[in-house]
Amino acid sequence: MILHTLIDYDVLRLIWWLLLGVLLVGFAVTDGFDLGTGILLPFVGKTDVERRVVINAVGPVWEGNQVWLILGGGAIFAAWPQLYAVSFSGFYLAMFAILTALIVRPVAFKFRSKREDAGWRRAWDMALFFSGFVPALIFGVAMGNVLQGVPFRLDDSMQIFYEGSFFGLLNPFALLCGLVSVAMLVMHGAAWLQLKTQDAVADRARRFGGIAALATVVLYAVAGVLLWLYIDGYHISSAIDTTGPSNPLLKVAETQPGIWFANYQAHPWTIAAPAIGLLGALGAWIGLCKRRELFALLSSTLSIAGIVLSVGASMFPFILPSSLDPRASLTVWDSSSSHLTLFIMLVCTAIFMPLILMYTSWVYHVLWGKVDEQAIRDDSGHAY
């Protein structure tokens, strides 16, 4: 018996759909507080020393957090090649903007304190702000467009044709989702700063974070209502072959108003995802107001996980719907790599994922504790 046949093809597809969700949550949670901290930098740091405190709150860990972005991109490339092809070609300019921001961020970290000039440092502070704000906004805008359907089609040879434009992505619902993403990550960054800083910086982080937490609740709820009332969802109207070939054109798919909420009716336990998203944001607001540091960070983490997972729960089994030809929409069952490829990737993940988690946990344990403002003034052992 060939080893990979021990796990059925449909089970492997489902496992990799779940793992993709885990990787997206891992990136949003870990790199999310980096991005949120960058957005908050001009508002919580009023002096040069205070801004250095903010930067050093994430400076030692931000590079490690990028691992989740690399893992997510690699997983999409290997497990869902058609998803990778459509998203990275159709969203090319958006991806370019994100990558530019992510490239500017390490340069800003390294160069900011190389000169004493105030103008020099302000310029890099603004670079850190935009390198946090731009990815946070665009990631949310991308999710908003995915929920509405992306303008692509496939011909009989599986060649992809994307017929949208960059500015077409900036529609009202997608921008609303972008604001949800920004508010969510600002809330998370504020919870991190409350944990890692003291005095005035922590107080300002609590104030802005509390506002962001309430904004997350309101904006996420509004987006949910609009999705239910005005955004057409997608469903498969033909027979579903969960172990069939990776050919999206073999199915029949249609659009229907409010269908993105059908999974919550069919499987009530999935309501836990949006509920955790809302309750987590409220918990983060309470934790920030009551100065409960770990509670606020845990709550914001749960909120991010719930909000991200609610997108997957709503859309399953769709991964990337097509607004031009619903039949070409990519689903869990018809856009994956081969049975053998998914199995080999699963074995590698089972080996290396625990190592990454253990190493990451060890790093956070070693770097635990608050950033000391006096140590920043003395410049003793701080790189930023």
Side-chain angles (χ1 to χ4, degrees), residues 58-93:
V58 296
V61 297
W62 74 267
E63 289 177 291
N65 295 338
Q66 298 290 102
V67 169
W68 294 97
L69 177 62
I70 298 170
L71 288 175
I76 293 174
F77 175 78
W80 311 100
Q82 291 174 320
L83 172 63
Y84 183 92
V86 175
S87 59
F88 278 74
S89 59
F91 296 159
Y92 180 78
L93 290 179

Side-chain angles (χ1 to χ4, degrees), residues 21-330:
V22 170
L23 293 173
L24 291 176
V25 169
F27 171 69
V29 168
T30 56
D31 207 44
F33 68 74
D34 294 348
L35 299 177
T37 298
I39 297 171
L40 285 169
L41 177 62
F43 305 102
V44 300
K46 298 301 183 181
T47 67
D48 181 67
V49 172
E50 288 179 348
R51 293 185 180 185
R52 289 191 66 194
V53 168
V54 173
I55 292 170
N56 279 275
V58 296
V61 297
W62 74 267
E63 289 177 291
N65 295 338
Q66 298 290 102
V67 169
W68 294 97
L69 177 62
I70 298 170
L71 288 175
I76 293 174
F77 175 78
W80 311 100
Q82 291 174 320
L83 172 63
Y84 183 92
V86 175
S87 59
F88 278 74
S89 59
F91 296 159
Y92 180 78
L93 290 179
M95 293 290 185
F96 184 81
I98 290 173
L99 290 176
T100 300
L102 295 180
I103 290 170
V104 167
R105 182 170 59 168
V107 177
F109 275 130
K110 299 296 184 182
F111 282 17
R112 181 196 182 276
S113 295
K114 297 300 183 182
R115 292 176 57 184
E116 296 290 341
D117 181 67
W120 169 272
R121 295 188 173 187
R122 280 195 302 271
W124 288 117
D125 289 340
M126 292 309 300
L128 286 170
F129 167 78
F130 283 109
S131 66
F133 179 80
V134 170
L137 180 69
I138 293 179
F139 283 132
V141 168
M143 286 298 100
N145 279 280
V146 168
L147 285 166
Q148 296 175 92
V150 176
F152 74 94
R153 58 184 176 86
L154 305 173
D155 65 11
D156 292 337
S157 64
M158 292 294 102
Q159 184 175 357
I160 299 165
F161 296 89
Y162 180 83
E163 299 184 10
S165 65
F166 174 76
F167 292 103
L169 300 175
L170 304 179
N171 55 79
F173 180 76
L175 289 172
L176 174 61
C177 292
L179 293 178
V180 173
S181 176
V182 171
M184 176 180 74
L185 297 187
V186 169
M187 168 188 69
H188 196 43
W192 178 257
L193 286 177
Q194 178 183 233
L195 179 71
K196 294 292 291 183
T197 64
Q198 307 174 75
D199 303 325
V201 172
D203 289 338
R204 296 187 194 109
R206 292 186 192 100
R207 183 168 67 253
F208 287 109
I211 296 171
L214 294 178
T216 300
V217 172
V218 173
L219 292 172
Y220 181 55
V222 170
V225 171
L226 293 178
L227 184 66
W228 181 24
L229 296 178
Y230 299 108
I231 305 299
D232 288 351
Y234 294 73
H235 71 103
I236 299 174
S237 55
S238 61
I240 300 175
D241 185 2
T242 60
T243 59
S246 290
N247 184 347
L249 298 179
L250 296 179
K251 67 178 180 300
V252 177
E254 300 173 348
T255 60
Q256 181 178 329
I259 197 65
W260 282 149
F261 289 80
N263 283 338
Y264 298 120
Q265 296 175 344
H267 308 286
W269 61 270
T270 57
I271 297 175
I276 289 173
L278 289 170
L279 294 176
L282 289 173
W285 174 69
I286 294 172
L288 288 163
C289 292
K290 300 293 185 181
R291 300 172 181 257
R292 300 283 298 276
E293 298 174 352
L294 288 175
F295 180 76
L297 185 62
L298 177 61
S299 296
S300 66
T301 298
L302 290 174
S303 179
I304 290 174
I307 291 173
V308 173
L309 294 177
S310 69
V311 177
S314 298
M315 293 178 57
F316 183 84
F318 288 87
I319 300 177
L320 190 65
S322 169
S323 60
L324 292 182
D325 181 9
R327 187 174 60 118
S329 299
L330 308 182

